[in-house]
Amino acid sequence: MNHVPGHTPDLAPQELRILVAVEGEGSFTAAAARLGTTQSAVSHAVRTCERKLGAVLFDRGRNGARPTEAGARAVAYARRILRLLEAMGPEVRGAGAGDAAGAVAGPLRIAAFRSVAAHLLPPVLARLTARHPGLTPQVRIVREIGRGTAGEVADGHADLGLATLNTDGPPPVPGLVAVRLFEEEYALAHPAGHPAPRGLPLVDWDENCGSYTRSWWDGQDWIPPATINVEDDTVAVSLVSQGLGMAIMPRSALLGAPPGLAVTGLGPQPPRRSVGYVTTPELAGTAPVRALIRELRSLALPEGLAAA
């Protein structure tokens, strides 16, 4: 085959599906079973993809197949391309249908961190599915650590992610569209009625104190090292409500707080964080994602959260 210099030969949709299956199953044999084909066919397809792309995509070993750095990137692109192929039919059939009920249909994959998923997303999805009964939202709860929800979108696992964003600067993951929806203050959560809550031990959780709060945090000499560190903000809230300490938390994490917990401000210039959505440039124009964005923009924000 004669290749045009600088041109990467196209991968067929079935080759993309095989790359995704191998990464998801962790072995050629399991991927073959998932796809209803043979291990040799999967192996041949992966070698063909590697030859076309000019890179080793999987490390083969006794424990199966693990994607290389190049492989992980290839699989992320494969998922995104397959998602667009899946969306093509409904988008084409729905062309010219406008916002008519039922015109927007199909799966809508959303990644969100816990507090937004628990307190802000349900009314958005209720309105969305009432307006578009053919839509089937699928929500994954993702911790905002590392690449967080933005990484889920970039890797092709989600169509849209609700993410914490830097006030200024690029999207959390390069190549994505990022739009702010609201800002929220951090507040002091403590046992109700305690006379000196700032003197209590600190309860913290892994997702707290991101780059948007670090400079403020470093300037507070009254904050002690964490006595208790947990993985989930709901656990932190529960511990504080039981009198085991105080916590510095974003307002959205304190919505629906249990009895026994009080919330007070952190002064005239408290730390803040921005919350918004991220998606890919190509998915931003699809009907399901556009419909979700419209509902997100019309969200009625609780007290302590302000539109961006």
Side-chain angles (χ1 to χ4, degrees), residues 258-274:
L261 186 139
V263 179
T264 58
L266 288 169
Q269 293 184 317
R272 300 172 181 270
R273 72 174 181 181
S274 293

Side-chain angles (χ1 to χ4, degrees), residues 8-16 19 48-50 52-53 57 74 78:
T8 299
D10 293 338
L11 272 62
Q14 183 59 14
E15 291 174 324
L16 301 178
L19 294 183
T48 299
C49 292
E50 290 177 328
K52 288 180 177 181
L53 295 174
L57 302 180

Side-chain angles (χ1 to χ4, degrees), residues 79-187:
R79 287 198 193 95
R80 289 165 64 169
I81 293 168
L82 290 171
R83 181 67 182 103
L84 285 175
L85 290 174
E86 182 183 9
M88 181 185 294
E91 289 289 313
V92 170
R93 290 190 294 272
D99 290 332
V104 181
L108 176 60
R109 305 170 306 160
I110 304 164
F113 57 95
R114 190 214 61 83
S115 59
V116 164
H119 301 296
L120 302 180
L121 195 55
V124 168
L125 295 183
R127 292 195 306 270
L128 181 68
T129 54
R131 184 170 295 171
H132 304 290
L135 269 181
T136 53
Q138 303 162 3
V139 181
R140 294 183 63 193
I141 308 302
V142 177
R143 299 175 72 199
E144 277 292 78
I145 294 177
R147 298 167 77 237
T149 57
E152 294 295 296
V153 174
D155 292 345
H157 293 294
D159 302 328
L160 180 143
L162 292 169
T164 54
L165 306 176
N166 292 323
T167 304
D168 297 303
V173 175
L176 299 181
V177 175
V179 178
R180 287 191 297 159
L181 292 169
F182 64 88
E183 281 194 347
E184 60 176 331
E185 296 179 355
Y186 277 66

